[in-house]
Amino acid sequence: MADDGTGFLSAFTFSVAGAGAIGAAAGVAAGAAAAGAATSASGSAGGFTMSKDEMTSMLTKAKQTRTLINDQLRQAVGIAQIDPPGDDASSQQFTDVAVKSGNYYLGHLGIQKNRYDQLIAKLETALGLTVETDEDAGQAVQAASTEGEY
């Protein structure tokens, strides 16, 4: 089965360092992920942990690259829609090869776009969850402080 890019990074998680990590074990796990640990000894997938600023920067760069890929896709649409310059066998064969090449290029760009879509979705989710966690924690602190408990 051909890879269409939609499963890119599907087995990996993204998290913001310090977002909900409790205890030394969580810190060690986050540190291992940040160091690039992609799989555990059991063979299960791992993830990536980075600071909020690093993740935001990575998200910005990923969106810029996806925009570039989208631009390339728009500009290259005609690459696979050419007519032979003549009505002879050589012209038609050359055009067939050129159209196949153009289709491969468009397919490659499509896979790249799908992969960047997946990366962006995972980064946005991780950053969104962090915001929700921060807001929940802030509400919990305010609720506790109004009751005089910490």
Side-chain angles (χ1 to χ4, degrees), residues 11 38-46:
T39 59
S40 67
S42 66
S44 61

Side-chain angles (χ1 to χ4, degrees), residues 29-89:
T39 59
S40 67
S42 66
S44 61
F48 301 92
T49 301
M50 58 192 82
S51 74
K52 185 175 181 177
D53 288 344
E54 289 170 327
M55 190 172 289
T56 302
S57 175
M58 185 175 187
L59 178 60
T60 299
K61 290 176 184 177
K63 284 182 175 182
Q64 290 170 343
T65 302
R66 184 178 62 182
T67 298
L68 175 65
I69 292 167
N70 285 332
D71 290 345
Q72 290 172 336
L73 274 165
R74 277 190 295 278
Q75 293 172 8
V77 168
I79 198 168
Q81 300 172 355
I82 58 173
D83 294 321
D87 196 18
D88 59 286

Side-chain angles (χ1 to χ4, degrees), residues 83-110:
D83 294 321
D87 196 18
D88 59 286
S90 295
S91 294
Q92 290 176 355
Q93 288 173 351
F94 173 79
T95 301
D96 289 345
V97 170
V99 167
K100 279 184 185 179
S101 179
N103 282 326
Y104 283 123
Y105 178 63
L106 291 171
H108 174 71
L109 289 174

